[in-house]
Amino acid sequence: MTTPNPTLTPLTQPQLTAACHAALTHQAQAQDLHKKRPFAAILLAPDNETILLSSNSLSHVRHAESELARNAADNYDWAYLARCTLVSTWEPCAMCAGAIYWAHIGRLVYLASEKALQEVIGVGNPENLTLDLPCRRVFERGQSVVEVIGPLVEEGWETRVVEDSRRYWG
């Protein structure tokens, strides 16, 4: 975890668990109902409970997190977003981390790491050429604080995301 962002309401364990369930359910529904890739993101309001937005991965360049961050920036005030939390099933890539940063979203929670994703999809998969650039490194270069929580290995969320994603990646 990075340094806590002082503008944010602390995230309780029950709130974190509920948000993780919602994100993973959204990922499963994206695959099952819409034949989308296994990536999902939700945006929590400052109360850490209300889901303001959700997004699926639309293509190899229209990722769930970047789509959600752009939509949030178009629809919510900059100062309001600084008090919000984006929850993603997977660690955001550099492109998505940049979109989260520019949208001014104050906290990121991700369930599974990009390293775990590469293990699932394999090296050289043209549908998802992972970068070895952790989102924390992208945020560290910025001028505003994005609190980062993840991957959630000990809590078992990373395993659940990986297992669900294997249905798509085979």
Side-chain angles (χ1 to χ4, degrees), residues 17-96:
T17 299
C20 291
H21 273 293
L24 187 55
T25 298
H26 193 71
Q27 174 176 293
Q29 289 174 343
Q31 291 181 88
D32 297 341
L33 301 177
H34 308 295
K35 307 301 182 225
K36 298 293 182 187
R37 297 154 26 106
F39 301 93
I42 62 172
L43 184 67
L44 298 178
D47 67 6
N48 294 326
E49 294 178 7
T50 305
I51 298 175
L52 299 171
L53 297 169
S54 64
S55 185
N56 301 324
S57 178
L58 303 178
S59 73
H60 68 285
V61 294
R62 294 184 65 195
H63 298 179
E65 303 90 345
S66 61
E67 291 294 309
L68 186 142
R70 288 183 188 104
N71 194 6
D74 286 346
N75 288 285
Y76 295 100
D77 179 70
W78 194 76
Y80 181 77
L81 288 174
R83 299 176 16 241
C84 291
T85 300
L86 188 150
V87 181
S88 177
T89 53
W90 289 101
E91 178 177 6
C93 70
M95 173 183 70
C96 293

